[in-house]
Amino acid sequence: MSIQDRLAELGVTLPDAPAPAANYVPFVVTGHHVHVSGQISQGPEGLITGKLGADLDVEAGAGAARACAISLLAQLRRACDGDLDRLVRVVKLVGFVNSTPDFTDQPKVINGASDFLVAALGEAGRHARSAVSAASLPFGVAVEIEAIFEIR
């Protein structure tokens, strides 16, 4: 089954890849790797903002992380000229969680992205990962995630 078919089964339609918000490129392809710049939490209704431990709970944060993963796949699709089936595996995610100093559930928040990628990609979605706190993130978003993918 193609990745696009699996996404459809999950009820997910990838958006167009978001444009960069500053002076950087959205991804770099080097050899068999695609390095995708940090994707901020946004959905069809706009930016997903807030601070975990103050404005948002873990479930809302995980939803924001899932939205980041969807944007990561949109960027990957663009990097692969529309062919997501060139994906070999997700290599690594680095997740940043906009959170209060006493919030310690960053891994549970970033699970929203990790769980989605495994559901959408199967074993190819399993990856190494970091989940860290940030005092603030661009535009006040709840989560930002960057990724490295291996492609054919």
Side-chain angles (χ1 to χ4, degrees):
M1 176 181 299
S2 75
I3 292 172
Q4 201 62 47
D5 290 341
R6 279 184 265 173
L7 290 170
E9 278 187 352
L10 294 171
V12 173
T13 301
L14 293 181
D16 291 335
N23 187 19
Y24 63 90
V25 294
F27 58 84
V28 171
V29 179
T30 179
H32 292 286
H33 290 98
V34 179
H35 297 255
V36 179
S37 296
Q39 300 297 296
I40 59 176
S41 52
Q42 59 184 344
E45 289 81 43
L47 297 176
I48 302 168
T49 60
K51 189 172 283 287
L52 277 289
D55 311 312
L56 301 172
D57 61 16
V58 169
E59 184 178 342
R66 182 181 188 275
C68 291
I70 290 170
S71 291
L72 288 166
L73 289 182
Q75 291 292 1
L76 178 65
R77 179 179 64 189
R78 184 169 168 214
C80 291
D81 299 320
D83 185 5
L84 278 175
D85 291 321
R86 289 181 58 197
L87 176 72
V88 173
R89 73 169 303 143
V90 181
V91 176
K92 183 165 186 183
L93 298 184
V94 179
F96 303 93
V97 179
N98 183 357
S99 56
T100 61
D102 61 338
F103 185 80
T104 59
D105 284 331
Q106 291 82 3
K108 291 179 182 175
V109 170
I110 302 303
N111 279 347
S114 296
D115 293 347
F116 170 75
L117 290 171
V118 171
L121 307 173
E123 285 300 309
R126 296 198 183 283
H127 51 270
R129 185 183 90 177
S130 298
V132 298
S133 181
S136 66
L137 289 172
F139 311 111
V141 296
V143 178
E144 179 175 353
I145 302 175
E146 63 183 55
I148 301 170
F149 299 96
E150 182 183 354
I151 60 171
R152 298 180 176 74

mmCIF file of all heavy atoms in Angstrom, residues 53-81:
data_model
loop_
_atom_site.group_PDB
_atom_site.id
_atom_site.type_symbol
_atom_site.label_atom_id
_atom_site.label_comp_id
_atom_site.label_asym_id
_atom_site.label_seq_id
_atom_site.Cartn_x
_atom_site.Cartn_y
_atom_site.Cartn_z
ATOM 1 N N GLY A 53 1.594 23.435 30.017
ATOM 2 C CA GLY A 53 1.724 23.649 31.447
ATOM 3 C C GLY A 53 1.027 24.918 31.908
ATOM 4 O O GLY A 53 0.891 25.147 33.104
ATOM 5 N N ALA A 54 0.569 25.729 30.956
ATOM 6 C CA ALA A 54 -0.168 26.948 31.301
ATOM 7 C C ALA A 54 -1.480 26.988 30.504
ATOM 8 O O ALA A 54 -2.559 26.938 31.082
ATOM 9 C CB ALA A 54 0.669 28.192 31.029
ATOM 10 N N ASP A 55 -1.368 27.077 29.183
ATOM 11 C CA ASP A 55 -2.545 27.223 28.317
ATOM 12 C C ASP A 55 -3.055 25.902 27.742
ATOM 13 O O ASP A 55 -4.226 25.799 27.384
ATOM 14 C CB ASP A 55 -2.212 28.129 27.113
ATOM 15 C CG ASP A 55 -1.542 29.418 27.507
ATOM 16 O OD1 ASP A 55 -2.030 30.074 28.433
ATOM 17 O OD2 ASP A 55 -0.514 29.752 26.886
ATOM 18 N N LEU A 56 -2.159 24.929 27.596
ATOM 19 C CA LEU A 56 -2.499 23.686 26.912
ATOM 20 C C LEU A 56 -2.150 22.477 27.764
ATOM 21 O O LEU A 56 -1.161 22.499 28.499
ATOM 22 C CB LEU A 56 -1.720 23.582 25.592
ATOM 23 C CG LEU A 56 -1.919 24.695 24.564
ATOM 24 C CD1 LEU A 56 -0.934 24.522 23.412
ATOM 25 C CD2 LEU A 56 -3.340 24.708 24.056
ATOM 26 N N ASP A 57 -2.939 21.404 27.618
ATOM 27 C CA ASP A 57 -2.608 20.155 28.297
ATOM 28 C C ASP A 57 -1.852 19.242 27.328
ATOM 29 O O ASP A 57 -1.655 19.581 26.154
ATOM 30 C CB ASP A 57 -3.864 19.474 28.849
ATOM 31 C CG ASP A 57 -4.881 19.085 27.782
ATOM 32 O OD1 ASP A 57 -4.546 19.051 26.572
ATOM 33 O OD2 ASP A 57 -6.030 18.788 28.155
ATOM 34 N N VAL A 58 -1.412 18.103 27.812
ATOM 35 C CA VAL A 58 -0.605 17.180 27.013
ATOM 36 C C VAL A 58 -1.354 16.743 25.757
ATOM 37 O O VAL A 58 -0.769 16.667 24.667
ATOM 38 C CB VAL A 58 -0.163 15.962 27.859
ATOM 39 C CG1 VAL A 58 0.447 14.883 26.984
ATOM 40 C CG2 VAL A 58 0.822 16.388 28.935
ATOM 41 N N GLU A 59 -2.639 16.449 25.871
ATOM 42 C CA GLU A 59 -3.414 16.012 24.715
ATOM 43 C C GLU A 59 -3.431 17.078 23.617
ATOM 44 O O GLU A 59 -3.233 16.769 22.434
ATOM 45 C CB GLU A 59 -4.845 15.661 25.139
ATOM 46 C CG GLU A 59 -5.686 15.112 24.012
ATOM 47 C CD GLU A 59 -7.086 14.715 24.464
ATOM 48 O OE1 GLU A 59 -7.319 14.542 25.664
ATOM 49 O OE2 GLU A 59 -7.941 14.573 23.576
ATOM 50 N N ALA A 60 -3.640 18.330 23.982
ATOM 51 C CA ALA A 60 -3.623 19.417 22.998
ATOM 52 C C ALA A 60 -2.228 19.575 22.396
ATOM 53 O O ALA A 60 -2.077 19.813 21.188
ATOM 54 C CB ALA A 60 -4.085 20.722 23.635
ATOM 55 N N GLY A 61 -1.202 19.428 23.223
ATOM 56 C CA GLY A 61 0.170 19.503 22.732
ATOM 57 C C GLY A 61 0.485 18.389 21.754
ATOM 58 O O GLY A 61 1.138 18.604 20.727
ATOM 59 N N ALA A 62 0.012 17.179 22.052
ATOM 60 C CA ALA A 62 0.227 16.048 21.148
ATOM 61 C C ALA A 62 -0.470 16.297 19.809
ATOM 62 O O ALA A 62 0.066 15.947 18.749
ATOM 63 C CB ALA A 62 -0.259 14.749 21.792
ATOM 64 N N GLY A 63 -1.629 16.917 19.847
ATOM 65 C CA GLY A 63 -2.317 17.284 18.604
ATOM 66 C C GLY A 63 -1.512 18.297 17.803
ATOM 67 O O GLY A 63 -1.441 18.221 16.573
ATOM 68 N N ALA A 64 -0.887 19.240 18.502
ATOM 69 C CA ALA A 64 -0.028 20.224 17.831
ATOM 70 C C ALA A 64 1.185 19.531 17.205
ATOM 71 O O ALA A 64 1.600 19.862 16.088
ATOM 72 C CB ALA A 64 0.408 21.302 18.824
ATOM 73 N N ALA A 65 1.751 18.550 17.908
ATOM 74 C CA ALA A 65 2.894 17.808 17.378
ATOM 75 C C ALA A 65 2.489 16.990 16.153
ATOM 76 O O ALA A 65 3.243 16.893 15.172
ATOM 77 C CB ALA A 65 3.484 16.904 18.464
ATOM 78 N N ARG A 66 1.310 16.418 16.180
ATOM 79 C CA ARG A 66 0.802 15.668 15.026
ATOM 80 C C ARG A 66 0.700 16.591 13.821
ATOM 81 O O ARG A 66 1.065 16.211 12.698
ATOM 82 C CB ARG A 66 -0.558 15.058 15.360
ATOM 83 C CG ARG A 66 -1.168 14.226 14.254
ATOM 84 C CD ARG A 66 -2.542 13.680 14.694
ATOM 85 N NE ARG A 66 -3.106 12.730 13.765
ATOM 86 C CZ ARG A 66 -3.824 13.040 12.693
ATOM 87 N NH1 ARG A 66 -4.088 14.316 12.410
ATOM 88 N NH2 ARG A 66 -4.303 12.083 11.904
ATOM 89 N N ALA A 67 0.220 17.823 14.046
ATOM 90 C CA ALA A 67 0.123 18.801 12.959
ATOM 91 C C ALA A 67 1.507 19.103 12.379
ATOM 92 O O ALA A 67 1.660 19.246 11.165
ATOM 93 C CB ALA A 67 -0.552 20.079 13.460
ATOM 94 N N CYS A 68 2.515 19.182 13.231
ATOM 95 C CA CYS A 68 3.893 19.382 12.757
ATOM 96 C C CYS A 68 4.324 18.219 11.875
ATOM 97 O O CYS A 68 4.959 18.419 10.828
ATOM 98 C CB CYS A 68 4.861 19.519 13.928
ATOM 99 S SG CYS A 68 4.685 21.017 14.908
ATOM 100 N N ALA A 69 3.999 16.999 12.278
ATOM 101 C CA ALA A 69 4.380 15.813 11.499
ATOM 102 C C ALA A 69 3.719 15.822 10.125
ATOM 103 O O ALA A 69 4.340 15.426 9.132
ATOM 104 C CB ALA A 69 4.030 14.538 12.265
ATOM 105 N N ILE A 70 2.497 16.279 10.046
ATOM 106 C CA ILE A 70 1.809 16.387 8.761
ATOM 107 C C ILE A 70 2.548 17.385 7.868
ATOM 108 O O ILE A 70 2.775 17.125 6.680
ATOM 109 C CB ILE A 70 0.331 16.754 8.967
ATOM 110 C CG1 ILE A 70 -0.406 15.558 9.587
ATOM 111 C CG2 ILE A 70 -0.319 17.205 7.656
ATOM 112 C CD1 ILE A 70 -1.811 15.850 10.073
ATOM 113 N N SER A 71 2.980 18.514 8.442
ATOM 114 C CA SER A 71 3.754 19.485 7.663
ATOM 115 C C SER A 71 5.109 18.920 7.247
ATOM 116 O O SER A 71 5.599 19.197 6.142
ATOM 117 C CB SER A 71 3.952 20.779 8.462
ATOM 118 O OG SER A 71 2.737 21.470 8.625
ATOM 119 N N LEU A 72 5.725 18.123 8.116
ATOM 120 C CA LEU A 72 6.999 17.488 7.755
ATOM 121 C C LEU A 72 6.814 16.595 6.529
ATOM 122 O O LEU A 72 7.635 16.619 5.603
ATOM 123 C CB LEU A 72 7.548 16.674 8.922
ATOM 124 C CG LEU A 72 8.106 17.460 10.101
ATOM 125 C CD1 LEU A 72 8.293 16.551 11.308
ATOM 126 C CD2 LEU A 72 9.413 18.148 9.733
ATOM 127 N N LEU A 73 5.740 15.807 6.511
ATOM 128 C CA LEU A 73 5.483 14.942 5.360
ATOM 129 C C LEU A 73 5.162 15.758 4.110
ATOM 130 O O LEU A 73 5.533 15.366 2.996
ATOM 131 C CB LEU A 73 4.359 13.954 5.655
ATOM 132 C CG LEU A 73 4.692 12.834 6.634
ATOM 133 C CD1 LEU A 73 3.497 11.895 6.796
ATOM 134 C CD2 LEU A 73 5.932 12.056 6.224
ATOM 135 N N ALA A 74 4.497 16.901 4.277
ATOM 136 C CA ALA A 74 4.230 17.772 3.126
ATOM 137 C C ALA A 74 5.544 18.287 2.540
ATOM 138 O O ALA A 74 5.712 18.333 1.313
ATOM 139 C CB ALA A 74 3.319 18.925 3.540
ATOM 140 N N GLN A 75 6.482 18.653 3.399
ATOM 141 C CA GLN A 75 7.793 19.109 2.918
ATOM 142 C C GLN A 75 8.540 17.954 2.253
ATOM 143 O O GLN A 75 9.184 18.139 1.214
ATOM 144 C CB GLN A 75 8.638 19.684 4.064
ATOM 145 C CG GLN A 75 8.133 20.979 4.632
ATOM 146 C CD GLN A 75 8.220 22.169 3.691
ATOM 147 O OE1 GLN A 75 8.648 22.084 2.546
ATOM 148 N NE2 GLN A 75 7.793 23.311 4.181
ATOM 149 N N LEU A 76 8.476 16.771 2.846
ATOM 150 C CA LEU A 76 9.129 15.606 2.263
ATOM 151 C C LEU A 76 8.560 15.317 0.872
ATOM 152 O O LEU A 76 9.315 15.050 -0.075
ATOM 153 C CB LEU A 76 8.963 14.384 3.172
ATOM 154 C CG LEU A 76 9.565 13.091 2.629
ATOM 155 C CD1 LEU A 76 11.080 13.192 2.515
ATOM 156 C CD2 LEU A 76 9.161 11.914 3.511
ATOM 157 N N ARG A 77 7.262 15.390 0.739
ATOM 158 C CA ARG A 77 6.626 15.153 -0.568
ATOM 159 C C ARG A 77 7.173 16.142 -1.601
ATOM 160 O O ARG A 77 7.518 15.765 -2.720
ATOM 161 C CB ARG A 77 5.108 15.271 -0.449
ATOM 162 C CG ARG A 77 4.388 15.065 -1.773
ATOM 163 C CD ARG A 77 2.903 15.165 -1.641
ATOM 164 N NE ARG A 77 2.528 16.522 -1.238
ATOM 165 C CZ ARG A 77 1.304 16.870 -0.870
ATOM 166 N NH1 ARG A 77 0.329 15.978 -0.840
ATOM 167 N NH2 ARG A 77 1.035 18.103 -0.515
ATOM 168 N N ARG A 78 7.298 17.390 -1.190
ATOM 169 C CA ARG A 78 7.848 18.406 -2.094
ATOM 170 C C ARG A 78 9.300 18.091 -2.452
ATOM 171 O O ARG A 78 9.708 18.187 -3.611
ATOM 172 C CB ARG A 78 7.730 19.778 -1.447
ATOM 173 C CG ARG A 78 8.167 20.908 -2.335
ATOM 174 C CD ARG A 78 7.779 22.241 -1.723
ATOM 175 N NE ARG A 78 8.449 23.296 -2.439
ATOM 176 C CZ ARG A 78 8.875 24.407 -1.900
ATOM 177 N NH1 ARG A 78 8.682 24.636 -0.611
ATOM 178 N NH2 ARG A 78 9.475 25.320 -2.620
ATOM 179 N N ALA A 79 10.089 17.680 -1.466
ATOM 180 C CA ALA A 79 11.494 17.349 -1.700
ATOM 181 C C ALA A 79 11.643 16.154 -2.633
ATOM 182 O O ALA A 79 12.634 16.046 -3.356
ATOM 183 C CB ALA A 79 12.198 17.068 -0.375
ATOM 184 N N CYS A 80 10.653 15.267 -2.625
ATOM 185 C CA CYS A 80 10.679 14.052 -3.447
ATOM 186 C C CYS A 80 9.872 14.217 -4.730
ATOM 187 O O CYS A 80 9.430 13.229 -5.324
ATOM 188 C CB CYS A 80 10.143 12.865 -2.637
ATOM 189 S SG CYS A 80 11.232 12.361 -1.304
ATOM 190 N N ASP A 81 9.650 15.464 -5.147
ATOM 191 C CA ASP A 81 8.909 15.750 -6.380
ATOM 192 C C ASP A 81 7.555 15.052 -6.414
ATOM 193 O O ASP A 81 7.133 14.517 -7.437
ATOM 194 C CB ASP A 81 9.737 15.382 -7.615
ATOM 195 C CG ASP A 81 11.034 16.175 -7.694
ATOM 196 O OD1 ASP A 81 11.019 17.385 -7.385
ATOM 197 O OD2 ASP A 81 12.062 15.568 -8.057
#
